[in-house]
Amino acid sequence: DEKERFDPTQFQDCIIQGLTETGTDLEAVAKFLDASGAKLDYRRYAETLFDILVAGGMLAPGGTLADDMTRTNVCVFAAQEDLETMQAFAQVFNKLIRRYKYLEKGFEDEVKKLLLFLKGFSESERNKLAMLTGILLANGTLNASILNSLYNENLVKEGVSAAFAVKLFKSWINEKDINAVAVSLRKVNMDNRLMELFPANKQSVEHFSKYFTEAGLKELSEYVRNQQTIGARKELQKELQEQMSRGDAFKDIILYVKEEMKRNNISEQTVVAIIWSSVMSTVEWNKKEELVAEQAIKHLKQYSPLLAAFTTQGQSELTLLLKVQEYCYDNIHFMKAFQKIVVLFYKAEVLSEEPILKWYKDAHLAKGKSIFLEQMKKFVEWLKNAEEESESEAEEGD
């Protein structure tokens, strides 16, 4: 059964004739395509093959079908516009590509090309292609890198990219869930680029959120909002570390941080955790346990005004306590320094009694709790006694 050579037109005629004979039974279509791969040169004419399966015939540049070409109605564009039909078509592509693995690359190139041709298709054709693409992304037949084509300037400017993305993400999330979608996007560094589906003057979280929430994709809006917050946090930490290493004045650092909190809607709890982590990463710590505590106290005393500026709420103080506990547990040389750091922060008015007592009673982490609670025992007792004394003094004053 020797393979015969065809030119694209002959190849097209063979495929279209076969599809017309099988009719719209997609299982029969899959069998026909499977058998034809033994006789026809799929490797050479992959683009023609996929053009026919999607659009019914060979596509001219821009996405139009040539008038003089024979065409078939057994294709994605001529099918019904619903999810079930597109799932059935996705199976046809899956089976074909599983059978002829070398078609993988050609199919990816085809989809990238089709996305660039979107303006040449009708709205219904675009919707069907979007649903199909979402399903194929969900089952791993396609890689999320194909979405790069949607960032084409003309498609973005005319709103085609965003409208297409709505249908695509709906079918993708329907097949999987937002977490699976996020993983796929992250793998190809696309997780922070979704706002580029809109023109530059509309690339804001608010606009993205409104557009996709109204389209019924609240989970995608929330995902992008979270990504922006994560990005803003990373940026804040990087800038903070640079300001600290330059030795900028605390008042300037505090002003900058407060502006960033407001601009990116970052909570004080998040900020205090970022500051703690930045402060601890600016030093080369001594490897000797007996020396590291002394070094830490000296270093943290210097930075306590900065931390104090962002522990104005009990919850922020508790966040800081938990971060200190976690750090001392994860860095073994700091195990014995925990109590000294807490006492320093208490004296420097970074931490107050109530959060420390709450931490001791029930808000601590499991990490090294027996060691840290034992370290804190005497100080906590002293705090309780001091609290009782000040209460009784207040009563006597009344």
Side-chain angles (χ1 to χ4, degrees):
D1 192 33
E2 201 176 313
K3 288 200 175 186
E4 296 166 50
R5 295 285 176 208
F6 292 82
D7 63 27
T9 315
Q10 272 186 293
F11 179 87
Q12 171 173 268
D13 291 343
C14 285
I15 294 290
I16 285 177
Q17 188 188 337
L19 289 174
T20 307
E21 285 167 13
T22 59
T24 52
D25 175 2
L26 293 182
E27 277 192 31
V29 168
K31 281 177 188 165
F32 158 71
L33 292 169
D34 190 310
S36 299
K39 301 190 283 285
L40 303 177
D41 193 350
Y42 281 179
R43 198 183 290 273
R44 176 176 286 190
Y45 299 119
E47 187 179 0
T48 306
L49 173 65
F50 292 129
D51 272 3
I52 295 164
L53 291 175
V54 173
M58 274 162 67
L59 289 168
T64 52
L65 282 170
D67 290 333
D68 56 343
M69 290 279 188
T70 48
R71 61 185 70 182
T72 175
N73 283 329
V74 185
C75 64
V76 173
F77 283 179
Q80 275 181 276
E81 190 187 319
D82 62 62
L83 206 53
E84 210 177 320
T85 308
M86 290 306 112
Q87 283 165 335
F89 263 100
Q91 279 305 311
V92 172
F93 287 104
N94 279 343
K95 286 174 185 170
L96 180 61
I97 289 160
R98 271 208 305 269
R99 178 80 171 81
Y100 299 103
K101 286 292 282 181
Y102 58 80
L103 285 174
E104 244 174 27
K105 177 78 175 72
F107 185 52
E108 210 161 279
D109 292 342
E110 173 74 12
V111 175
K112 286 178 187 171
K113 178 192 81 175
L114 290 169
L115 297 188
L116 291 173
F117 286 175
L118 286 178
K119 277 166 67 182
F121 306 144
S122 71
E123 190 184 344
S124 175
E125 288 169 348
R126 289 203 287 260
N127 289 345
K128 285 179 256 194
L129 182 61
M131 284 190 267
L132 177 73
T133 307
I135 296 161
L136 293 168
L137 283 163
N139 64 32
T141 304
L142 285 174
N143 182 290
S145 60
I146 55 112
L147 297 176
N148 267 312
S149 295
L150 289 179
Y151 300 132
N152 172 279
E153 199 180 334
N154 292 325
L155 296 176
V156 168
K157 197 165 72 181
E158 295 189 26
V160 175
S161 294
F164 185 87
V166 166
K167 293 280 181 188
L168 180 147
F169 279 109
K170 270 190 177 171
S171 69
W172 191 353
I173 292 168
N174 179 62
E175 294 288 310
K176 291 279 192 180
D177 61 29
I178 190 65
N179 297 323
V181 170
V183 170
S184 299
L185 291 171
R186 206 173 303 124
K187 276 182 186 166
V188 293
N189 297 320
M190 205 73 81
D191 48 332
N192 290 316
R193 292 193 60 198
L194 292 179
M195 279 203 282
E196 292 172 43
L197 291 164
F198 296 102
N201 62 338
K202 290 180 178 172
Q203 282 178 23
S204 70
V205 178
E206 279 60 43
H207 180 78
F208 186 99
S209 193
K210 187 172 185 292
Y211 185 91
F212 281 94
T213 302
E214 283 173 3
L217 279 165
K218 194 164 186 284
E219 56 267 75
L220 189 70
S221 303
E222 283 169 1
Y223 167 70
V224 165
R225 200 175 276 282
N226 287 340
Q227 285 303 106
Q228 281 298 108
T229 311
I230 292 164
R233 284 181 210 161
K234 283 180 181 167
E235 204 50 50
L236 174 60
Q237 182 146 5
K238 192 175 150 208
E239 180 57 32
L240 250 179
Q241 285 168 347
E242 282 174 15
Q243 288 176 347
M244 285 175 188
S245 60
R246 285 198 305 263
D248 290 8
F250 284 161
K251 64 175 179 25
D252 297 334
I253 297 178
I254 290 166
L255 189 67
Y256 163 74
V257 173
K258 284 188 173 170
E259 280 171 2
E260 286 300 296
M261 280 170 76
K262 198 173 172 184
R263 193 159 69 90
N264 293 299
N265 199 21
I266 305 174
S267 70
E268 191 179 82
Q269 288 86 51
T270 302
V271 163
V272 84
I274 290 172
I275 294 172
W276 166 260
S277 152
S278 302
V279 166
M280 295 310 275
S281 65
T282 56
V283 180
E284 191 67 51
W285 295 108
N286 203 302
K287 292 285 182 281
K288 290 183 179 170
E289 199 173 311
E290 61 274 15
L291 297 174
V292 86
E294 200 181 314
Q295 187 190 6
I297 296 305
K298 198 175 170 187
H299 178 66
L300 290 170
K301 196 171 186 177
Q302 183 192 340
Y303 280 99
S304 54
L306 182 59
L307 284 157
F310 298 97
T311 49
T312 65
Q313 304 160 10
Q315 198 52 48
S316 310
E317 292 182 49
L318 197 55
T319 299
L320 179 60
L321 267 165
L322 294 172
K323 285 288 164 195
V324 176
Q325 181 186 348
E326 202 169 26
Y327 190 90
C328 291
Y329 179 80
D330 292 341
N331 298 274
I332 195 128
H333 301 306
F334 279 83
M335 284 296 269
K336 290 180 181 171
F338 179 75
Q339 186 260 5
K340 291 187 175 83
I341 294 171
V342 176
V343 172
L344 164 75
F345 283 162
Y346 175 74
K347 286 178 179 170
E349 296 183 354
V350 176
L351 296 174
S352 51
E353 289 163 32
E354 211 177 306
I356 296 172
L357 295 173
K358 184 169 172 50
W359 172 88
Y360 187 81
K361 187 184 172 196
D362 55 20
H364 47 259
L365 300 169
K367 291 180 168 183
K369 74 169 187 180
S370 54
I371 296 167
F372 298 136
L373 291 176
E374 185 57 40
Q375 275 184 39
M376 290 292 289
K377 202 172 173 182
K378 282 183 182 171
F379 181 60
V380 165
E381 277 168 16
W382 178 83
L383 277 181
K384 282 178 181 171
N385 291 336
E387 197 175 26
E388 281 162 17
E389 277 172 30
S390 61
E391 276 173 14
S392 61
E393 278 169 22
E395 278 166 20
E396 279 168 27
D398 291 344

mmCIF file of all heavy atoms in Angstrom, residues 94-119:
data_model
loop_
_atom_site.group_PDB
_atom_site.id
_atom_site.type_symbol
_atom_site.label_atom_id
_atom_site.label_comp_id
_atom_site.label_asym_id
_atom_site.label_seq_id
_atom_site.Cartn_x
_atom_site.Cartn_y
_atom_site.Cartn_z
ATOM 1 N N ASN A 94 -8.565 14.708 18.528
ATOM 2 C CA ASN A 94 -7.783 13.909 19.496
ATOM 3 C C ASN A 94 -7.349 12.579 18.899
ATOM 4 O O ASN A 94 -6.181 12.188 18.975
ATOM 5 C CB ASN A 94 -8.629 13.603 20.745
ATOM 6 C CG ASN A 94 -8.639 14.765 21.695
ATOM 7 O OD1 ASN A 94 -7.802 15.649 21.604
ATOM 8 N ND2 ASN A 94 -9.595 14.801 22.595
ATOM 9 N N LYS A 95 -8.326 11.872 18.338
ATOM 10 C CA LYS A 95 -8.035 10.539 17.774
ATOM 11 C C LYS A 95 -7.022 10.635 16.640
ATOM 12 O O LYS A 95 -6.096 9.834 16.551
ATOM 13 C CB LYS A 95 -9.332 9.887 17.272
ATOM 14 C CG LYS A 95 -10.232 9.379 18.388
ATOM 15 C CD LYS A 95 -11.552 8.871 17.837
ATOM 16 C CE LYS A 95 -12.511 8.461 18.951
ATOM 17 N NZ LYS A 95 -13.862 8.185 18.444
ATOM 18 N N LEU A 96 -7.217 11.641 15.789
ATOM 19 C CA LEU A 96 -6.325 11.814 14.637
ATOM 20 C C LEU A 96 -4.897 12.090 15.091
ATOM 21 O O LEU A 96 -3.940 11.486 14.587
ATOM 22 C CB LEU A 96 -6.849 12.975 13.780
ATOM 23 C CG LEU A 96 -6.069 13.333 12.520
ATOM 24 C CD1 LEU A 96 -6.038 12.163 11.544
ATOM 25 C CD2 LEU A 96 -6.670 14.554 11.833
ATOM 26 N N ILE A 97 -4.746 12.973 16.076
ATOM 27 C CA ILE A 97 -3.399 13.362 16.512
ATOM 28 C C ILE A 97 -2.754 12.270 17.363
ATOM 29 O O ILE A 97 -1.538 12.075 17.323
ATOM 30 C CB ILE A 97 -3.452 14.735 17.231
ATOM 31 C CG1 ILE A 97 -3.729 15.814 16.178
ATOM 32 C CG2 ILE A 97 -2.166 15.055 17.963
ATOM 33 C CD1 ILE A 97 -4.264 17.103 16.711
ATOM 34 N N ARG A 98 -3.562 11.519 18.101
ATOM 35 C CA ARG A 98 -3.002 10.378 18.854
ATOM 36 C C ARG A 98 -2.480 9.311 17.892
ATOM 37 O O ARG A 98 -1.460 8.669 18.122
ATOM 38 C CB ARG A 98 -4.078 9.774 19.771
ATOM 39 C CG ARG A 98 -4.123 10.434 21.152
ATOM 40 C CD ARG A 98 -4.640 9.492 22.219
ATOM 41 N NE ARG A 98 -5.939 8.933 21.902
ATOM 42 C CZ ARG A 98 -7.097 9.467 22.262
ATOM 43 N NH1 ARG A 98 -7.110 10.584 22.960
ATOM 44 N NH2 ARG A 98 -8.243 8.893 21.949
ATOM 45 N N ARG A 99 -3.213 9.143 16.797
ATOM 46 C CA ARG A 99 -2.847 8.111 15.798
ATOM 47 C C ARG A 99 -1.619 8.535 15.009
ATOM 48 O O ARG A 99 -0.740 7.734 14.732
ATOM 49 C CB ARG A 99 -4.046 7.898 14.857
ATOM 50 C CG ARG A 99 -3.788 6.909 13.754
ATOM 51 C CD ARG A 99 -3.920 5.471 14.278
ATOM 52 N NE ARG A 99 -3.877 4.538 13.178
ATOM 53 C CZ ARG A 99 -2.771 4.109 12.584
ATOM 54 N NH1 ARG A 99 -1.601 4.523 13.006
ATOM 55 N NH2 ARG A 99 -2.828 3.250 11.582
ATOM 56 N N TYR A 100 -1.577 9.810 14.632
ATOM 57 C CA TYR A 100 -0.438 10.323 13.839
ATOM 58 C C TYR A 100 0.231 11.438 14.636
ATOM 59 O O TYR A 100 -0.064 12.617 14.450
ATOM 60 C CB TYR A 100 -0.931 10.838 12.474
ATOM 61 C CG TYR A 100 -1.591 9.753 11.649
ATOM 62 C CD1 TYR A 100 -2.981 9.672 11.536
ATOM 63 C CD2 TYR A 100 -0.824 8.772 11.012
ATOM 64 C CE1 TYR A 100 -3.588 8.659 10.814
ATOM 65 C CE2 TYR A 100 -1.427 7.753 10.279
ATOM 66 C CZ TYR A 100 -2.805 7.699 10.188
ATOM 67 O OH TYR A 100 -3.399 6.684 9.472
ATOM 68 N N LYS A 101 1.122 11.028 15.547
ATOM 69 C CA LYS A 101 1.746 11.952 16.495
ATOM 70 C C LYS A 101 2.445 13.130 15.808
ATOM 71 O O LYS A 101 2.518 14.216 16.349
ATOM 72 C CB LYS A 101 2.780 11.208 17.365
ATOM 73 C CG LYS A 101 2.186 10.315 18.424
ATOM 74 C CD LYS A 101 1.479 11.063 19.546
ATOM 75 C CE LYS A 101 2.447 11.659 20.558
ATOM 76 N NZ LYS A 101 1.725 12.360 21.638
ATOM 77 N N TYR A 102 2.944 12.896 14.598
ATOM 78 C CA TYR A 102 3.687 13.959 13.907
ATOM 79 C C TYR A 102 2.783 15.141 13.531
ATOM 80 O O TYR A 102 3.270 16.201 13.155
ATOM 81 C CB TYR A 102 4.394 13.418 12.658
ATOM 82 C CG TYR A 102 3.477 12.767 11.637
ATOM 83 C CD1 TYR A 102 2.724 13.542 10.746
ATOM 84 C CD2 TYR A 102 3.372 11.377 11.538
ATOM 85 C CE1 TYR A 102 1.886 12.963 9.805
ATOM 86 C CE2 TYR A 102 2.531 10.779 10.605
ATOM 87 C CZ TYR A 102 1.799 11.584 9.741
ATOM 88 O OH TYR A 102 0.970 11.010 8.803
ATOM 89 N N LEU A 103 1.464 14.968 13.639
ATOM 90 C CA LEU A 103 0.539 16.060 13.308
ATOM 91 C C LEU A 103 0.422 17.105 14.430
ATOM 92 O O LEU A 103 -0.146 18.172 14.231
ATOM 93 C CB LEU A 103 -0.864 15.510 13.007
ATOM 94 C CG LEU A 103 -1.049 14.822 11.650
ATOM 95 C CD1 LEU A 103 -2.428 14.212 11.552
ATOM 96 C CD2 LEU A 103 -0.818 15.792 10.499
ATOM 97 N N GLU A 104 0.966 16.766 15.607
ATOM 98 C CA GLU A 104 0.853 17.660 16.766
ATOM 99 C C GLU A 104 1.307 19.085 16.470
ATOM 100 O O GLU A 104 0.590 20.052 16.692
ATOM 101 C CB GLU A 104 1.702 17.110 17.929
ATOM 102 C CG GLU A 104 0.863 16.713 19.116
ATOM 103 C CD GLU A 104 1.701 16.025 20.201
ATOM 104 O OE1 GLU A 104 2.911 16.297 20.288
ATOM 105 O OE2 GLU A 104 1.138 15.224 20.955
ATOM 106 N N LYS A 105 2.528 19.189 15.943
ATOM 107 C CA LYS A 105 3.118 20.510 15.659
ATOM 108 C C LYS A 105 2.305 21.230 14.585
ATOM 109 O O LYS A 105 2.003 22.422 14.708
ATOM 110 C CB LYS A 105 4.579 20.315 15.206
ATOM 111 C CG LYS A 105 5.292 21.602 14.811
ATOM 112 C CD LYS A 105 5.734 22.380 16.038
ATOM 113 C CE LYS A 105 6.555 23.600 15.662
ATOM 114 N NZ LYS A 105 5.787 24.689 15.063
ATOM 115 N N GLY A 106 1.914 20.490 13.535
ATOM 116 C CA GLY A 106 1.140 21.090 12.448
ATOM 117 C C GLY A 106 -0.200 21.621 12.943
ATOM 118 O O GLY A 106 -0.668 22.676 12.511
ATOM 119 N N PHE A 107 -0.801 20.891 13.882
ATOM 120 C CA PHE A 107 -2.105 21.307 14.403
ATOM 121 C C PHE A 107 -1.971 22.580 15.242
ATOM 122 O O PHE A 107 -2.786 23.493 15.152
ATOM 123 C CB PHE A 107 -2.733 20.184 15.232
ATOM 124 C CG PHE A 107 -4.129 20.489 15.694
ATOM 125 C CD1 PHE A 107 -5.102 20.890 14.791
ATOM 126 C CD2 PHE A 107 -4.478 20.398 17.032
ATOM 127 C CE1 PHE A 107 -6.400 21.194 15.211
ATOM 128 C CE2 PHE A 107 -5.770 20.695 17.458
ATOM 129 C CZ PHE A 107 -6.725 21.099 16.537
ATOM 130 N N GLU A 108 -0.896 22.627 16.024
ATOM 131 C CA GLU A 108 -0.650 23.825 16.831
ATOM 132 C C GLU A 108 -0.462 25.051 15.932
ATOM 133 O O GLU A 108 -1.028 26.119 16.184
ATOM 134 C CB GLU A 108 0.599 23.600 17.688
ATOM 135 C CG GLU A 108 0.554 24.359 18.982
ATOM 136 C CD GLU A 108 1.523 23.799 20.014
ATOM 137 O OE1 GLU A 108 1.206 22.802 20.680
ATOM 138 O OE2 GLU A 108 2.613 24.387 20.121
ATOM 139 N N ASP A 109 0.332 24.870 14.866
ATOM 140 C CA ASP A 109 0.552 25.968 13.911
ATOM 141 C C ASP A 109 -0.757 26.386 13.244
ATOM 142 O O ASP A 109 -0.999 27.568 13.007
ATOM 143 C CB ASP A 109 1.569 25.554 12.839
ATOM 144 C CG ASP A 109 2.971 25.379 13.410
ATOM 145 O OD1 ASP A 109 3.217 25.904 14.525
ATOM 146 O OD2 ASP A 109 3.803 24.707 12.776
ATOM 147 N N GLU A 110 -1.588 25.386 12.941
ATOM 148 C CA GLU A 110 -2.885 25.660 12.313
ATOM 149 C C GLU A 110 -3.763 26.532 13.214
ATOM 150 O O GLU A 110 -4.342 27.523 12.764
ATOM 151 C CB GLU A 110 -3.599 24.331 12.026
ATOM 152 C CG GLU A 110 -5.029 24.468 11.537
ATOM 153 C CD GLU A 110 -5.154 24.954 10.100
ATOM 154 O OE1 GLU A 110 -4.123 24.973 9.384
ATOM 155 O OE2 GLU A 110 -6.256 25.303 9.692
ATOM 156 N N VAL A 111 -3.834 26.170 14.493
ATOM 157 C CA VAL A 111 -4.697 26.929 15.413
ATOM 158 C C VAL A 111 -4.163 28.354 15.578
ATOM 159 O O VAL A 111 -4.928 29.318 15.589
ATOM 160 C CB VAL A 111 -4.851 26.210 16.774
ATOM 161 C CG1 VAL A 111 -5.648 27.052 17.760
ATOM 162 C CG2 VAL A 111 -5.534 24.861 16.579
ATOM 163 N N LYS A 112 -2.834 28.493 15.679
ATOM 164 C CA LYS A 112 -2.251 29.845 15.771
ATOM 165 C C LYS A 112 -2.658 30.680 14.562
ATOM 166 O O LYS A 112 -2.995 31.858 14.680
ATOM 167 C CB LYS A 112 -0.719 29.752 15.842
ATOM 168 C CG LYS A 112 -0.181 29.282 17.181
ATOM 169 C CD LYS A 112 1.332 29.181 17.114
ATOM 170 C CE LYS A 112 1.917 28.547 18.358
ATOM 171 N NZ LYS A 112 3.347 28.253 18.213
ATOM 172 N N LYS A 113 -2.614 30.049 13.374
ATOM 173 C CA LYS A 113 -2.981 30.740 12.129
ATOM 174 C C LYS A 113 -4.467 31.105 12.147
ATOM 175 O O LYS A 113 -4.845 32.234 11.833
ATOM 176 C CB LYS A 113 -2.667 29.833 10.931
ATOM 177 C CG LYS A 113 -3.057 30.439 9.586
ATOM 178 C CD LYS A 113 -3.005 29.411 8.477
ATOM 179 C CE LYS A 113 -4.262 28.548 8.458
ATOM 180 N NZ LYS A 113 -4.290 27.624 7.318
ATOM 181 N N LEU A 114 -5.310 30.150 12.555
ATOM 182 C CA LEU A 114 -6.760 30.400 12.582
ATOM 183 C C LEU A 114 -7.096 31.570 13.501
ATOM 184 O O LEU A 114 -7.976 32.372 13.206
ATOM 185 C CB LEU A 114 -7.515 29.149 13.044
ATOM 186 C CG LEU A 114 -7.540 27.965 12.064
ATOM 187 C CD1 LEU A 114 -8.089 26.723 12.756
ATOM 188 C CD2 LEU A 114 -8.365 28.279 10.826
ATOM 189 N N LEU A 115 -6.383 31.659 14.616
ATOM 190 C CA LEU A 115 -6.645 32.763 15.554
ATOM 191 C C LEU A 115 -6.282 34.104 14.919
ATOM 192 O O LEU A 115 -6.947 35.108 15.149
ATOM 193 C CB LEU A 115 -5.880 32.567 16.865
ATOM 194 C CG LEU A 115 -6.251 31.335 17.705
ATOM 195 C CD1 LEU A 115 -5.563 31.375 19.065
ATOM 196 C CD2 LEU A 115 -7.743 31.188 17.906
ATOM 197 N N LEU A 116 -5.238 34.118 14.114
ATOM 198 C CA LEU A 116 -4.865 35.367 13.432
ATOM 199 C C LEU A 116 -5.879 35.732 12.337
ATOM 200 O O LEU A 116 -6.007 36.890 11.963
ATOM 201 C CB LEU A 116 -3.463 35.251 12.826
ATOM 202 C CG LEU A 116 -2.304 35.192 13.838
ATOM 203 C CD1 LEU A 116 -0.993 34.898 13.136
ATOM 204 C CD2 LEU A 116 -2.191 36.498 14.628
ATOM 205 N N PHE A 117 -6.604 34.732 11.841
ATOM 206 C CA PHE A 117 -7.604 34.947 10.788
ATOM 207 C C PHE A 117 -9.001 35.286 11.334
ATOM 208 O O PHE A 117 -9.957 35.376 10.570
ATOM 209 C CB PHE A 117 -7.764 33.675 9.935
ATOM 210 C CG PHE A 117 -6.620 33.410 8.980
ATOM 211 C CD1 PHE A 117 -6.599 32.227 8.231
ATOM 212 C CD2 PHE A 117 -5.584 34.304 8.809
ATOM 213 C CE1 PHE A 117 -5.560 31.958 7.342
ATOM 214 C CE2 PHE A 117 -4.534 34.048 7.931
ATOM 215 C CZ PHE A 117 -4.520 32.873 7.194
ATOM 216 N N LEU A 118 -9.129 35.430 12.644
ATOM 217 C CA LEU A 118 -10.469 35.538 13.251
ATOM 218 C C LEU A 118 -11.383 36.560 12.583
ATOM 219 O O LEU A 118 -12.584 36.348 12.457
ATOM 220 C CB LEU A 118 -10.364 35.862 14.754
ATOM 221 C CG LEU A 118 -9.926 34.710 15.670
ATOM 222 C CD1 LEU A 118 -9.821 35.186 17.111
ATOM 223 C CD2 LEU A 118 -10.885 33.534 15.573
ATOM 224 N N LYS A 119 -10.816 37.692 12.169
ATOM 225 C CA LYS A 119 -11.655 38.742 11.568
ATOM 226 C C LYS A 119 -12.295 38.287 10.254
ATOM 227 O O LYS A 119 -13.306 38.838 9.815
ATOM 228 C CB LYS A 119 -10.827 40.006 11.345
ATOM 229 C CG LYS A 119 -10.712 40.860 12.589
ATOM 230 C CD LYS A 119 -9.642 41.912 12.467
ATOM 231 C CE LYS A 119 -9.983 42.956 11.417
ATOM 232 N NZ LYS A 119 -8.886 43.949 11.276
#
